[in-house]
Amino acid sequence: MKKLKKYRGVVVPMVTPVSKDGSIDTAAVERIVDNMARYGVAPLIMGTTGEGNSVSTEGGVQMITAAKKAAQGRVTIYTGLAGNCVSEQLAAAEKFIEAGADVIAATLPSYYALTPAQMENYYLTLANALRVPLMLYNITITTHMSIPLDVIERLSRHPNIVGLKDSENNVPRLKEALKLFADREDFSYFCGCAANSAVSLRNGADGIVPSVGNYLPQIYQDLYEAGINGNQAECERLQQETIEIGKINTTGLTLGESLAGLKVIMKMCGLCEEYMLPPLTELQPEIVARIREQAAPIVEKL
């Protein structure tokens, strides 16, 4: 059995539930977080699935406050930090921490292509300024950059940098990263590509970050526990099951559309409404109908 680190387990990149007017639906935040926490699953607020770039600082504070209230100390509150103005990011992070964020997970500023040295300097700036732990967040599909592993290794030695959420769909990179970090007690590796959850756990990952966990937290907790306990057959079975489920809100859709599709299913579960934050929009009726039809057998079992 893998030795468990402080930062570990299932961390779900939580959707941002909003009302028709775009305001944060705090009651829905509480429902979603409570549904996760009862299975020991933690939320990542304002990550990519949470439309993080579209949430205002005020909205983020409202979400974190509601999440902290619902969690009641049962799980860690991870909070995403995204943007292109570092001074504004630092100011927002301070407000998020005051509201109850336990860990800040930051993506690279993405307006300019950054050199490895600039990436490293950016994260050192955050790590030196924040008064809670920082997690590196690598997601090439949105930033169009990949943080090199040698940069991550150097950053991992900073006392306030506690882990990496790597959403790059690159299994060779994943295995190489885990050679570096699997046995490090002071640095955690979270696999942010849900389809690679089983292979990451088999190679020593500390956690997984699956978006479908927004409405199916238990199945991912079961997958995680099978993985860390060495039950590879069960872990792989659940991996294949979750891959098929994930296709319901992703097949034929862009990343942004898939997030809207996820909210369609969550509305079926009574967790939140389907409204999106600009520039993203709700889906066309025919796509909504297809998602509802395919998701119905799964929702009926909940």
Side-chain angles (χ1 to χ4, degrees), residues 142-187:
T142 59
T143 67
H144 309 291
M145 292 177 282
S146 176
I147 309 170
L149 290 181
D150 63 321
V151 171
I152 294 170
E153 200 285 329
R154 289 193 296 274
L155 289 168
S156 74
R157 303 295 173 177
H158 191 289
N160 201 36
I161 297 178
V162 297
L164 165 69
K165 174 189 181 290
D166 200 336
S167 297
E168 186 170 338
N169 187 4
N170 183 333
V171 173
R173 171 188 163 94
L174 179 156
K175 292 180 177 179
E176 191 63 30
L178 286 167
K179 289 179 183 177
L180 295 171
F181 306 125
D183 296 327
R184 285 271 304 276
E185 294 185 8
D186 61 339
F187 191 80

